[in-house]
Amino acid sequence: MTKLWGGRFSKQTHKLVEEFTKSIHFDQKLAKYDCLGSLAHIAILKKAGLLTNQEHSKLATALRSIAKTIEDRSFFKNIDSSFEDIHSYIQHLVEKKAGKAGLKLHTCRSRNDQIVLDMKLFCLDELKITQTMLKNFSESLKALAGKNKGICLPGLTHLQHAMIISLSDYLGAYQEMLARDHQRLQQIHDNIRLTFGSGAIAGTSISASAYYFTSSDLPKAIDPTANSIDVVSDRDFIIETLSGLAVIGMHLSRLAEDVILWASKEFDFIDIDDAFCTGSSLMPQKKNPDVLELVRGYSGRLYGNLVNVLVMMKGLPLSYNRDMQLDKEPLFDSFEIIQKELAVLTELFKNVTFKKENIAKQIDDESLYATDLSDYLVQKGVAFKEAHAIIGKLIQHKYQSGQELRTMDDQELKTFHPLLNSRMINKIIDPEYSVKSKKSIKR
Ligand code: ARG
């Protein structure tokens, strides 16, 4: 194993130090982006006159052949994990393939700059993949709403019966969140600027004009660095990404919690297909929503990953510090968690059935229509505060006497307010009427 440094050292690095400082076991995930970055770098070196055409072509051939092994995954089977990191290992492979030209690969470059480009390319790809998965999941919620048109639910505030809502609006709320998540990832994607030429901290001797680079291999153009110190110090793009992923995790966790409640005996609103539930080793009757519980549980790790990198960065003096090597595992982990969650939830929601009869029993609760009744009085000219008190009294009477509002006759109703009568009570205590009477929502 040859190091990228070592000339000034008179001793071998201690084994424990090598073990402790290496990152190849996790940063190998960046192999593809390291090759793409190096292909851009050698094109810039050629432009700057630091590589001959022949040297460039030898290096390009070597990098392309390594990239191929990365694509067919054979690269990862043969990886020599005695190397410090993925950059050192790919440098070594290039030297093996391109001979002397390989020794010029790292000209005017530092890993401090190289790692930033690699990580940005990784984020750009993964953000796009995650966006597609968000869209697919949103589609599966839309299809579920379409399959269950007309179902109304008790809408809850404080986990107490509040007002009637439609299932499609309920699922629509999550679709809104997913659309914001998609938009947020797009903003994070748009904020990422690819630059080269920062070197270790102070820039390089190559003219900025040589650093303008575009290629169909890259999702964005590379620009010369505007401030080399900032570029090698900056991990905002990772923090923003982790934050975007943490918010997605929070949304998915809330949805998971709702569905866990719905699947409980107490609610009993839905059935989740057996293929998406698990059982108990002891209790033969159990069918548990473990997938949803894990979605809820993983949100802790997603927040942890964000806080991890925020804390890691907070006291670092400019510019690059080795602490920053530790930004990778949390980033990789959060992408993996969110993508796994979206994949399994997309399928799970295709396999949910609603128990219409049980839901119907719940929305029969007259108290869910109390606001609609007071609204009726307001429409007829009663002041809102008075209407609120009148219907409050009516509901109190219902609870105390056990009498259903629907069964009260006109005479009894009129003791609460002359505008109340049995016909209007029965018209208003109706889920469809309740949903339709809400006109403020832009449809
Ligand atoms: N493995 C390092 C990281 O991920 C690469 C940069 C190392 N730079 C250095 N000067 N040691 O951050």
Side-chain angles (χ1 to χ4, degrees):
M1 188 257 295
T2 40
K3 286 194 167 69
L4 293 179
W5 43 275
R8 58 98 65 216
F9 288 82
S10 51
K11 276 190 174 174
Q12 286 281 327
T13 315
H14 196 289
K15 277 250 150 324
L16 288 172
V17 173
E18 267 180 0
E19 265 316 302
F20 188 67
T21 54
K22 69 166 51 169
S23 55
I24 193 160
H25 50 294
F26 54 83
D27 67 16
Q28 53 183 271
K29 215 175 177 131
L30 298 171
K32 172 184 165 190
Y33 306 104
D34 205 63
C35 285
L36 290 174
S38 286
L39 282 163
H41 175 63
I42 60 169
I44 291 161
L45 289 181
K46 187 171 89 168
K47 241 197 282 178
L50 290 166
L51 287 179
T52 63
N53 283 345
Q54 205 190 12
E55 285 167 334
H56 175 267
S57 120
K58 275 195 176 153
L59 289 171
T61 309
L63 285 164
R64 294 232 176 259
S65 89
I66 297 165
K68 233 170 162 207
T69 65
I70 294 167
E71 215 173 293
D72 70 22
R73 313 294 300 165
S74 59
F75 175 90
F76 299 97
K77 274 184 231 134
N78 303 320
I79 209 159
D80 180 349
S81 56
S82 67
F83 281 85
E84 180 185 328
D85 58 20
I86 194 63
H87 324 293
S88 325
Y89 181 56
I90 290 180
Q91 165 80 39
H92 160 80
L93 293 180
V94 170
E95 281 172 30
K96 255 187 25 190
K97 285 177 191 286
K100 257 187 114 184
L103 303 178
K104 291 198 174 179
L105 174 64
H106 210 51
T107 309
C108 289
R109 187 170 68 166
S110 159
R111 282 177 297 165
N112 300 355
D113 196 17
Q114 188 177 356
I115 192 68
V116 172
L117 188 86
D118 288 7
M119 291 288 274
K120 286 181 175 171
L121 289 173
F122 172 81
C123 282
L124 289 174
D125 260 10
E126 294 296 316
L127 285 166
K128 282 282 152 214
I129 293 168
T130 312
Q131 279 185 308
T132 305
M133 298 184 83
L134 283 169
K135 271 227 160 87
N136 289 343
F137 180 44
S138 187
E139 285 301 316
S140 93
L141 293 184
K142 194 172 162 194
L144 186 65
K147 247 190 352 203
N148 293 283
K149 266 199 197 107
I151 292 186
C152 291
L153 299 168
L156 310 180
T157 63
H158 312 265
L159 205 62
Q160 304 289 325
H161 275 195
M163 291 173 81
I164 296 290
I165 53 171
S166 71
L167 173 66
S168 80
D169 279 347
Y170 182 87
L171 293 172
Y174 283 102
Q175 286 168 250
E176 292 284 330
M177 292 176 228
L178 295 170
R180 283 200 300 277
D181 291 335
H182 189 278
Q183 177 68 24
R184 198 171 293 114
L185 296 195
Q186 189 58 46
Q187 282 158 359
I188 296 165
H189 186 279
D190 293 346
N191 278 347
I192 294 177
R193 301 260 167 275
L194 300 183
T195 71
F196 239 164
S198 295
I201 169 169
T204 76
S205 55
I206 297 173
S207 137
S209 62
Y211 280 109
Y212 288 99
F213 181 80
T214 48
S215 155
S216 57
D217 288 336
L218 300 177
K220 285 187 181 191
I222 294 179
D223 281 346
T225 185
N227 185 305
S228 57
I229 309 164
D230 177 53
V231 168
V232 296
S233 309
D234 168 37
R235 293 296 182 272
D236 291 3
F237 66 100
I238 293 177
I239 291 166
E240 282 179 29
T241 302
L242 287 171
S243 155
L245 297 173
V247 174
I248 300 173
M250 180 265 290
H251 291 153
L252 300 182
S253 176
R254 293 189 76 177
L255 176 59
E257 174 60 10
D258 277 339
V259 178
I260 289 167
L261 286 173
W262 287 356
S264 69
K265 252 282 175 311
E266 286 67 25
F267 276 78
D268 208 13
F269 282 3
I270 56 163
D271 183 58
I272 307 169
D273 190 89
D274 278 9
F276 291 88
C277 291
T278 54
S280 157
S281 59
L282 180 71
M283 300 168 281
Q285 87 285 9
K286 287 302 290 290
K287 177 169 157 180
N288 295 327
D290 289 29
V291 169
L292 299 160
E293 290 169 317
L294 284 167
V295 167
R296 196 176 53 188
Y298 270 127
S299 52
R301 222 160 88 188
L302 293 164
Y303 300 174
N305 287 339
L306 168 63
V307 174
N308 181 340
V309 177
L310 279 170
V311 175
M312 183 269 282
M313 287 299 289
K314 89 174 175 66
L316 294 186
L318 297 186
S319 59
Y320 176 82
N321 298 271
R322 191 63 175 267
D323 316 43
M324 290 152 93
Q325 175 166 288
L326 304 180
D327 58 3
K328 286 159 206 67
E329 286 160 300
L331 181 73
F332 298 160
D333 188 48
S334 285
F335 269 123
E336 244 171 62
I337 290 172
I338 285 297
Q339 290 176 8
K340 273 193 206 163
E341 287 186 358
L342 289 169
V344 71
L345 289 175
T346 301
E347 292 311 307
L348 186 148
F349 276 86
K350 288 180 188 162
N351 291 280
V352 162
T353 42
F354 283 88
K355 298 182 173 177
K356 291 186 187 160
E357 279 173 24
N358 295 347
I359 296 172
K361 269 188 226 149
Q362 288 296 323
I363 56 175
D364 208 33
D365 171 10
E366 291 180 328
S367 69
L368 279 164
Y369 304 85
T371 312
D372 296 334
L373 292 170
S374 94
D375 241 24
Y376 167 82
L377 291 179
V378 167
Q379 301 289 335
K380 296 279 176 201
V382 180
F384 170 74
K385 239 183 144 178
E386 279 174 59
H388 189 286
I390 294 159
I391 303 300
K393 285 273 169 249
L394 190 64
I395 295 287
Q396 188 188 43
H397 165 79
K398 167 190 161 70
Y399 288 144
Q400 282 171 354
S401 67
Q403 193 183 5
E404 291 264 286
L405 303 184
R406 278 174 289 215
T407 63
M408 287 170 77
D409 62 24
D410 288 354
Q411 210 187 345
E412 223 182 337
L413 286 166
K414 286 202 194 314
T415 63
F416 290 89
H417 194 275
L419 283 168
L420 295 176
N421 62 68
S422 167
R423 202 185 51 84
M424 55 90 22
I425 292 271
N426 279 282
K427 188 174 131 191
I428 292 172
I429 301 183
D430 172 67
E432 216 176 301
Y433 179 88
S434 178
V435 169
K436 283 214 175 109
S437 70
K438 307 301 176 303
K439 307 221 167 65
S440 61
I441 302 158
K442 205 167 76 187
R443 300 275 179 200

